Structures are given as C-alpha cells and as structure tokens.
Amino acid sequence: QVQLVESGGGLVQAGGSLKLSCAASGRTFIIYTMGWFRQAPGKEREFVGSIKWRGGSTYYVDSVKGRFTISRDNAKNTVYLQMNSLKPEDTAVYYCAADRSPTVVVIGDYWGRGTQVTVSS
C-alpha cells in the first residue's frame, strides 16, 4: 500500500502564493502518476493536474494552467503543488492522489486526507 500525506495549506490573500507538499510512503515503487485534486464547499472534487513519477511530465487543467506548477522530488518521495496568483475561487480542500498505472487524469488508487487552502479577497 501507499500512504499520502498533504501539508502546506493555509490562508492567503488573493494574488498570493502557496506551496503544497504531498509525502508518499510505503510501496512507493508502484506509483506511476501522482496528481492533485481540489474540492470547494458544495462542489464536486475537481482534478487539478498530474505528474509522472519517473519522467516528470506534467498535465494541468485549463483553470490553473500558467498559475500552478507540479513538481516532484523522487529522493524525498514528495510531490509539490506551487500555486501562484491565487484567486478566491481557488479556495478548497486540496487532495493528493496516486495511480499505479500511467494515467494522465489521475483515477486515485491512493488518496491523502487533504489540506485546506483559503484565499481571501
């Protein structure tokens, strides 16, 4: 199994930046793709983007393209979500997920518990 733990959430003003981390542990060698999702109050969980664990190629949804950057540190088994130019509509609980297969839009074989991001106007 794989365990995922997110950190780095918090309160930030609109236009500001925040960097989330997702630390993976356990059988990390089975991870192929990792991704980030978010869920705003009263809304469905939304896929944000993904990164290939080995190759490092990334994919983003249009709403965050150019503002969010996903990176990884394989030595630390950690994936990051750098969020710039934050908007109030980015307010959500952000979740990290991992897949055992080479997906682009992550399915979510494994999930973290999430970290709250609040962007004030």
Side-chain angles (χ1 to χ4, degrees), residues 49 51 83:
I51 187 167
M83 303 183 293

PDB file of all heavy atoms in Angstrom, residues 49 51 83:
ATOM      1  N   GLY A  49      -4.270  18.601 -11.719  1.00  0.00           N
ATOM      2  CA  GLY A  49      -3.131  18.303 -12.567  1.00  0.00           C
ATOM      3  C   GLY A  49      -2.405  17.070 -12.095  1.00  0.00           C
ATOM      4  O   GLY A  49      -2.717  16.516 -11.029  1.00  0.00           O
ATOM      5  N   ILE A  51       1.540  14.548 -12.503  1.00  0.00           N
ATOM      6  CA  ILE A  51       2.949  14.439 -12.874  1.00  0.00           C
ATOM      7  C   ILE A  51       3.335  12.968 -12.903  1.00  0.00           C
ATOM      8  O   ILE A  51       2.896  12.182 -12.058  1.00  0.00           O
ATOM      9  CB  ILE A  51       3.840  15.235 -11.892  1.00  0.00           C
ATOM     10  CG1 ILE A  51       5.287  15.259 -12.383  1.00  0.00           C
ATOM     11  CG2 ILE A  51       3.754  14.672 -10.471  1.00  0.00           C
ATOM     12  CD1 ILE A  51       6.153  16.274 -11.643  1.00  0.00           C
ATOM     13  N   MET A  83       1.364  27.119  -6.106  1.00  0.00           N
ATOM     14  CA  MET A  83       0.186  27.868  -6.560  1.00  0.00           C
ATOM     15  C   MET A  83       0.491  29.359  -6.474  1.00  0.00           C
ATOM     16  O   MET A  83       0.773  29.879  -5.386  1.00  0.00           O
ATOM     17  CB  MET A  83      -1.018  27.522  -5.688  1.00  0.00           C
ATOM     18  CG  MET A  83      -1.338  26.038  -5.670  1.00  0.00           C
ATOM     19  SD  MET A  83      -2.820  25.645  -4.711  1.00  0.00           S
ATOM     20  CE  MET A  83      -2.260  26.060  -3.060  1.00  0.00           C
TER      21      MET A  83
END
